[in-house]
Amino acid sequence: MLLRTEKLSKQFSGIYALKDINFQIAAGEIHGLVGENGAGKSTLIKMLTGVYQTEEGDIYWEDKKVKIMNPSQSRNLGINVVHQDRTLIPTFDGVENAYLGREYPHRGIQVSWKEMRQRVEKVRDQLGIDIDLSRLASELSPPQKTCLEIIRAMMNDCKLLILDEPTASLTDKESEILFDIIGKLKERGTSVLYVSHRMDEIFRLTDRVTVFKNGSMVSCMRTEDVNRNELVSMMADEWSGEGIKHNTSFGNVLLEAKNIQTQDGIMKNGTIQAHEREILGVFGLGGSGRTELLEAIYGYRPMKSGTVEIAGEKQEKLSPANSIKKGMILISEDRRGKAIIEGLSVKENILLSSIDAYSKYFHIDEKKEKADVQDKSNALNIKMTGMNQRVLELSGGNQQKVVFARALMTDPKVFLCDEPTQAVDIMTRSEIHKLLRKKADEGNAVVYVSSDIKEILEVADTIQIVAQGETRNKLKNENLTAKEVLSYCYEDA
Amino acid sequence: MDKSKKNTGTNIKQILHAYGTIIALIAVILLFSIISPGSFFTLTNFINITRQISLLVMISIGATMVMSINEFDLSVGSMASLGGIMAALLAVNGMPMILCFLIPIVISFVIGWINGWIVAKFRVLSFITTLGMSTVLSGVIYRLSGGATIFENIPKSFSWLGTTRLGRIPLLSILMIVAVVIFWYLMRHTALGRKLYAIGGNEETAKISGINVKKYKNIAFAICAVMACITGMLIASRVGSANTTAGDGYFLQSYAAVFIGCTASRKGVPNVAGTLIGAAILGVLANGLTMLQIPTYMQDIITGGIIIFAVIAQKLGRGDSK
């Protein structure tokens, strides 16, 4: 066995991200790793590559017990990883990128560029990759970048190559190039740990596949002994949203977005419709384009084509300011980056979207502001020393309440919520759910994006599936199970 | 991490944090008063200091606005020089005095707007953009003036603004106070100020919250350029001539005042009251050191040291020194 773990576990502040993992990879094997968002795949990769240290359980490398303390130690063992978010330096050429984090060969005090180039070319040719190493990384196409990352990973004696969602940003045709290279790696006897959401790739490439669910290892089997449906059902819980009351009768259409294509090409074709009294859950796996879709509809992310109608009225010029005017608000998933201003006070943060509402002729009605902010923060039960406290000092849950308070100040009809309960405590989570249900019952529309399938089944009346940059089926949340929802995501286009 | 700092902080630390900048100003005044009571600690000298800092304060509050959105305008110095040149040229050519001062203001507004438009539209570094603009303006100044100081045929009325006194108080000092009050109100109590601070705090959040970031960037740069222009015209009016580089020296001084001013705010952000204190510290130092006949190079060393110290203090005050 090349790699073996015994009862490997990892916990973060008391919660297990990985529990009792007994995982194996044989030499020369292509091993698939699947599981839904948060199943523990990334945690395992980080432990094998020395980003996280092992505290419970053991790792055996070539049948010898090892402690992987840091990334360079992991590399020295022969483990290399190609991440989904690429780590090339755009202004370096292929040779220099291949040498990142590696000692440059010297002749005297001078770097021997010739020797570097020869070494990289050798690895390139062995892998049969066709790429010009003198070009800057920024000039390379997405598959070429992936190839370059693989070259970099193979620069030293690599025995295990971890590919983390390598095809996420590639087209089908581009993926083929990658699959060829994986074939070559296998011939050379290099093991590959292949992590992907895409089932057809798992079936096409891998010898064995391991399934993770909620931090545990569910199963490990030969790929040929299992079919797609069995695999998907292993990844998902039996859990369903049954027993929770959902709205089934909706009013008029409040939000209609058609054929949204973002300029960056991440969302290719998005169409959603949300009605009065409806909580529309939007579910998709990581990288499916759900955040991009919401941001484009809101007017924050540049759109290439598509139309947005709010309450039957076509939005002529999309911008956050216009959306707010028409009664649509976005709760961003990136709280620190896009939703709060850490240096400003709770009051100032809550008022951000309604500055003009209190301002007349160079004068702000500060008394009314204070009263309204107090109202909203009482209603949402924001825990703070006072409204002048800096928002930076609040807990994650209370920061999120501040973001909601700001949204409520504008009296919106359409709520676009992107992972609104991300990194908040359980209390706040249920308060946010209740608030949005109340808002829907009052005749508003809520679009609720979450990567947590259980949460979607819990909150949503209807579920819109997003996969690979497209909106797909829209399901009624009646007797739906997580399994069924997931199976739509894994369906090929 | 921020909380623990607060809890362990002693009272003295908190006081220094909150009032350190004002304490520094008082300390400097006390120091000079003790060393040279006869010449420094007199009403005449204090009135004199207000006049000496008035021009610096006016150019600095414009810079405060641009810095509140986390940008820089390095063209304020040459904008000021250009303002003086334009006003003087118009006066020499017999333009009514009111227009001599109004036309340059309009032109500077447009120049500032262009600065802001480039920075916001193309998302480029304001540092480099305005450095380029500064060079462009220097060229324009040369083209207009031929590189020479303009002093011939300037009507006497041109000097009224810069030299008049109301009783013992110079008009310049009064103009400074008016400008400070207006800008303090703008930044603290109007929608404009709120939006600028929001943009400076986090541009993306401001945008998602519905603030028109581009528009307000344009406004901030435009107002900054106008204040620089006004300062330049007042410099020319005070000395009765327009030098091609009259405003250049104000550029670094103004940013020094703003940075010192940041330390006077609890949040460590640029603010008008702080800028006034910052300019006062610089003004008192210059006045006192000159009185003690400290050579100019020593004054430079001291001023430069204070700027560096202020930047560090500002960073620590913000609590985000990563």
Side-chain angles (χ1 to χ4, degrees):
Chain A
M1 239 358 102
L2 178 68
L3 173 87
R4 189 158 58 87
T5 71
E6 249 173 41
K7 295 208 145 201
L8 188 67
S9 303
K10 182 76 191 175
Q11 51 173 325
F12 296 102
S13 46
I15 296 160
Y16 277 99
L18 274 187
K19 184 103 175 100
D20 294 336
I21 302 292
N22 297 318
F23 178 73
Q24 291 185 336
I25 296 180
E29 160 185 57
I30 314 266
H31 196 113
L33 177 60
V34 296
E36 59 163 307
N37 307 324
K41 295 169 294 182
S42 303
T43 311
L44 177 70
I45 294 173
K46 284 181 176 154
M47 295 188 77
L48 295 180
T49 52
V51 178
Y52 297 153
Q53 281 76 45
T54 311
E55 284 139 14
E56 293 172 59
D58 299 305
I59 299 175
Y60 293 87
W61 180 255
E62 298 181 316
D63 297 317
K64 267 179 275 177
K65 193 166 155 182
V66 288
K67 275 233 174 280
I68 302 175
M69 300 306 290
N70 53 52
S72 79
Q73 195 187 342
S74 164
R75 255 207 314 259
N76 288 338
L77 288 175
I79 303 175
N80 278 289
V81 62
V82 172
H83 283 290
Q84 46 187 351
D85 34 2
R86 297 202 176 78
T87 51
L88 300 171
I89 295 183
T91 53
F92 278 18
D93 69 9
V95 175
E96 283 177 290
N97 265 304
Y99 261 93
L100 279 184
R102 219 171 291 275
E103 196 75 34
Y104 281 20
H106 281 77
R107 194 148 293 173
I109 55 158
Q110 202 187 352
V111 173
S112 171
W113 298 106
K114 203 175 141 199
E115 195 185 329
M116 271 171 78
R117 165 166 285 276
Q118 282 165 350
R119 279 201 218 167
V120 181
E121 274 171 356
K122 200 173 142 212
V123 175
R124 178 191 66 178
D125 296 341
Q126 276 172 358
L127 292 169
I129 294 172
D130 178 26
I131 133 176
D132 181 357
L133 292 169
S134 61
R135 290 176 71 187
L136 303 183
S138 58
E139 298 169 344
L140 300 176
S141 65
Q144 286 175 326
K145 283 179 185 164
T146 308
C147 288
L148 183 54
E149 292 232 38
I150 292 175
I151 293 174
R152 177 167 79 191
M154 299 306 292
M155 281 294 290
N156 60 356
D157 188 18
C158 178
K159 290 177 180 154
L160 172 63
L161 180 65
I162 303 171
L163 296 172
D164 187 4
E165 295 281 355
T167 55
S169 53
L170 304 184
T171 63
D172 292 349
K173 225 179 182 175
E174 291 167 348
S175 301
E176 290 298 329
I177 305 170
L178 179 70
F179 300 157
D180 280 349
I181 297 169
I182 292 173
K184 292 219 175 70
L185 289 172
K186 194 181 172 182
E187 279 167 28
R188 284 176 47 158
T190 309
S191 301
V192 174
L193 177 59
Y194 194 87
V195 184
S196 181
H197 285 313
R198 299 189 177 178
M199 288 299 126
D200 49 343
E201 292 171 9
I202 294 289
F203 282 98
R204 175 171 164 183
L205 294 170
T206 64
D207 303 310
R208 285 198 297 168
V209 57
T210 293
V211 181
F212 274 20
K213 183 172 74 180
N214 298 333
S216 302
M217 190 170 138
V218 179
S219 178
C220 174
M221 65 236 119
R222 297 202 316 178
T223 314
E224 56 190 31
D225 294 342
V226 66
N227 67 33
R228 168 197 301 272
N229 286 343
E230 288 166 343
L231 199 56
V232 169
S233 66
M234 275 181 230
M235 290 156 60
D237 278 302
E238 287 301 335
W239 203 90
S240 78
E242 257 182 298
I244 297 166
K245 216 183 120 272
H246 296 296
N247 271 351
T248 46
S249 73
F250 308 130
N252 300 325
V253 178
L254 272 184
L255 170 69
E256 177 150 38
K258 277 189 199 150
N259 305 109
I260 305 288
Q261 187 183 8
T262 54
Q263 232 164 52
D264 52 26
I266 297 174
M267 174 46 67
K268 298 177 185 82
N269 190 0
T271 297
I272 61 167
Q273 204 182 46
H275 302 79
E276 289 169 346
R277 293 196 295 282
E278 177 181 12
I279 297 185
L280 170 68
V282 175
F283 182 76
L285 302 160
S288 58
R290 24 171 228 235
T291 294
E292 291 76 10
L293 176 64
L294 247 56
E295 287 183 349
I297 292 172
Y298 185 63
Y300 174 72
R301 185 175 288 261
M303 208 159 79
K304 206 170 175 185
S305 60
T307 56
V308 177
E309 281 181 23
I310 298 173
E313 199 182 327
K314 192 174 172 239
Q315 284 282 82
E316 286 306 333
K317 198 168 168 285
L318 289 179
S319 74
N322 284 342
S323 294
I324 291 171
K325 252 182 239 153
K326 289 279 151 56
M328 179 162 72
I329 195 93
L330 173 73
I331 309 286
S332 171
E333 60 152 3
D334 180 2
R335 192 155 59 225
R336 284 189 63 187
K338 293 178 185 170
I340 58 165
I341 300 180
E342 289 187 326
L344 295 187
S345 68
V346 171
K347 187 179 87 181
E348 288 165 316
N349 269 285
I350 290 179
L351 287 167
L352 274 183
S353 292
S354 33
I355 294 173
D356 289 324
Y358 294 91
S359 169
K360 210 178 172 190
Y361 306 120
F362 290 102
H363 176 75
I364 291 177
D365 189 346
E366 291 178 34
K367 242 185 179 166
K368 187 150 175 289
E369 267 187 358
K370 260 185 204 156
D372 288 357
V373 168
Q374 194 64 56
D375 270 4
K376 288 282 185 287
S377 25
N378 288 347
L380 291 174
N381 193 17
I382 299 176
K383 298 218 169 45
M384 55 188 180
T385 57
M387 62 173 86
N388 288 323
Q389 188 179 9
R390 277 210 270 180
V391 92
L392 163 88
E393 294 165 3
L394 301 186
S395 70
N398 281 306
Q399 288 183 353
Q400 191 68 339
K401 285 181 178 178
V402 167
V403 178
F404 268 97
R406 170 160 81 236
L408 294 179
M409 294 288 282
T410 67
D411 213 5
K413 289 183 293 204
V414 179
F415 292 78
L416 303 174
C417 305
D418 196 358
E419 304 276 3
T421 57
Q422 181 176 265
V424 306
D425 53 293
I426 294 172
M427 265 296 282
T428 308
R429 181 185 143 111
S430 91
E431 282 172 321
I432 289 173
H433 288 172
K434 272 184 208 145
L435 171 75
L436 290 172
R437 172 52 72 198
K438 188 173 147 245
K439 285 288 151 191
D441 287 344
E442 287 169 10
N444 304 298
V446 176
V447 179
Y448 198 105
V449 168
S450 174
S451 52
D452 180 353
I453 179 70
K454 281 184 213 160
E455 186 177 20
I456 290 283
L457 287 169
E458 201 180 324
V459 214
D461 301 320
T462 47
I463 298 173
Q464 174 67 60
I465 304 292
V466 184
Q468 296 175 24
E470 289 169 356
T471 48
R472 295 193 178 163
N473 318 55
K474 188 173 179 182
L475 317 165
K476 272 208 175 116
N477 190 7
E478 279 171 352
N479 309 318
L480 266 183
T481 63
K483 234 180 241 179
E484 287 169 305
V485 175
L486 269 177
S487 69
Y488 285 106
C489 294
Y490 288 112
E491 221 164 61
D492 296 311
Chain B
M1 43 131 207
D2 208 50
K3 260 183 199 162
S4 62
K5 213 195 268 171
K6 237 186 184 172
N7 293 339
T8 54
T10 58
N11 273 340
I12 295 172
K13 250 189 190 166
Q14 279 172 4
I15 290 169
L16 271 181
H17 188 185
Y19 302 107
T21 321
I22 289 188
I23 292 172
L25 174 60
I26 295 169
V28 176
I29 293 174
L30 281 178
L31 183 73
F32 287 126
S33 303
I34 293 165
I35 298 173
S36 50
S39 47
F40 182 82
F41 196 72
T42 61
L43 185 60
T44 316
N45 190 40
F46 283 147
I47 291 173
N48 210 11
I49 289 175
T50 63
R51 201 213 60 209
Q52 283 167 355
I53 66 169
S54 62
L55 297 165
L56 176 60
V57 168
M58 275 189 268
I59 200 168
S60 303
I61 49 183
T64 306
M65 219 168 212
V66 165
M67 274 199 58
S68 74
I69 58 167
N70 247 336
E71 303 283 2
F72 277 94
D73 183 353
L74 303 194
S75 66
V76 286
S78 44
M79 187 64 245
S81 304
L82 179 61
I85 294 283
M86 286 192 295
L89 276 178
L90 290 169
V92 168
N93 287 305
M95 195 60 83
M97 208 40 73
I98 182 96
L99 289 180
C100 292
F101 290 98
L102 273 182
I103 292 172
I105 287 180
V106 174
I107 293 173
S108 65
F109 187 89
V110 173
I111 293 171
W113 193 273
I114 293 171
N115 272 336
W117 182 77
I118 295 171
V119 169
K121 170 88 182 171
F122 302 103
R123 292 178 160 244
V124 289
L125 288 177
S126 54
F127 219 82
I128 310 298
T129 309
T130 53
L131 191 64
M133 181 58 84
S134 175
T135 313
V136 170
L137 297 184
S138 301
V140 172
I141 289 169
Y142 193 87
R143 173 72 185 79
L144 289 177
S145 66
T149 301
I150 298 166
F151 61 93
E152 277 170 26
N153 303 324
I154 292 182
K156 250 199 156 162
S157 54
F158 185 77
S159 296
W160 186 82
L161 275 173
T163 53
T164 305
R165 279 171 185 263
L166 299 177
R168 295 180 65 179
I169 318 283
L171 182 61
L172 281 179
S173 304
I174 294 167
L175 286 175
M176 167 186 82
I177 291 163
V178 171
V180 165
V181 170
I182 290 175
F183 275 78
W184 174 80
Y185 183 83
L186 269 181
M187 292 304 281
R188 274 296 281 275
H189 295 288
T190 68
L192 173 69
R194 296 278 179 87
K195 288 174 182 176
L196 294 181
Y197 281 127
I199 293 168
N202 184 336
E203 210 177 305
E204 297 309 314
T205 302
K207 206 166 146 195
I208 282 201
S209 302
I211 293 170
N212 189 338
V213 172
K214 281 181 190 166
K215 176 174 144 193
Y216 285 94
K217 277 196 174 178
N218 290 349
I219 292 175
F221 275 97
I223 294 178
C224 176
V226 167
M227 288 310 288
C229 176
I230 290 175
T231 306
M233 293 190 298
L234 291 175
I235 295 170
S237 170
R238 190 159 81 89
V239 296
S241 68
N243 188 295
T244 53
T245 57
D248 293 11
Y250 282 86
F251 151 64
L252 191 62
Q253 293 267 320
S254 68
Y255 279 94
V258 179
F259 270 117
I260 296 170
C262 290
T263 64
S265 123
R266 196 170 59 92
K267 292 172 185 159
V269 296
N271 64 101
V272 175
T275 299
L276 176 65
I277 298 171
I281 289 178
L282 293 174
V284 170
L285 270 176
N287 178 282
L289 292 174
T290 309
M291 228 164 246
L292 295 175
Q293 292 176 331
I294 307 277
T296 325
Y297 71 85
M298 257 327 277
Q299 293 189 25
D300 283 346
I301 291 171
I302 292 170
T303 313
I306 287 172
I307 296 170
I308 293 169
F309 180 78
V311 177
I312 296 169
Q314 182 228 11
K315 194 84 181 165
L316 294 177
R318 268 194 180 186
D320 63 1
S321 47
K322 280 163 198 157

